[in-house]
Amino acid sequence: MGIIAGMKISIKAYALRCPVTGLVRYVGAAANPQTRLNLHVYGYSANVGISPVSLWIHYLRQQIGRMPALEILEIVESKRHALDAEKRWINKMID
């Protein structure tokens, strides 16, 4: 794991799955994926940097009253490894 100011950290590659279809709609990486998911939700409600994933989450919440399922795909020890993991998982999901 990486170390920041004497603390061990890990970064998680994660997927957001549609609660209706079960399909992966988004792959990302974050130290705290739940917090990152909340930022996607807040990004829409605050009208700041609205992304396609924020629009999708807004649709799920408004139209069917559900949130995407959060799935941890891989845990890595650095940002560089996280970017590699994220790309690898995106490619796996596309295939």
Side-chain angles (χ1 to χ4, degrees), residues 1-45:
M1 292 186 202
I3 298 177
I4 294 181
M7 296 177 54
K8 291 183 180 181
I9 63 161
S10 62
I11 300 172
K12 294 136 189 107
Y14 66 94
L16 298 180
R17 289 188 180 272
C18 177
V20 177
T21 66
L23 297 174
V24 171
R25 294 288 305 266
Y26 181 82
V27 173
N32 187 328
Q34 184 62 52
T35 298
R36 183 67 184 110
L37 174 57
N38 293 340
L39 291 172
H40 285 304
V41 172
Y42 175 75
Y44 184 87
S45 62

Side-chain angles (χ1 to χ4, degrees), residues 1 5 27-28 30 43 60 65 67 81 84 88:
M1 292 186 202
V27 173
L60 289 176
M67 289 284 286
H81 289 116
D84 291 342
R88 188 173 54 258

Side-chain angles (χ1 to χ4, degrees), residues 62-78:
Q62 295 300 311
Q63 299 298 316
I64 62 173
R66 308 247 334 248
M67 289 284 286
L70 175 65
E71 177 183 346
I72 304 300
L73 302 171
E74 185 174 344
I75 301 173
V76 297
E77 60 186 39
S78 70

Side-chain angles (χ1 to χ4, degrees), residues 82-94:
L83 291 174
D84 291 342
E86 186 177 11
K87 288 177 188 174
R88 188 173 54 258
W89 281 100
I90 289 170
N91 288 330
K92 281 184 182 184
M93 300 299 173
I94 291 172

Side-chain angles (χ1 to χ4, degrees), residues 44-64:
Y44 184 87
S45 62
N47 202 22
V48 176
I50 297 173
S51 66
V53 71
S54 292
L55 290 171
W56 171 64
I57 293 168
H58 176 75
Y59 168 80
L60 289 176
R61 293 177 70 216
Q62 295 300 311
Q63 299 298 316
I64 62 173

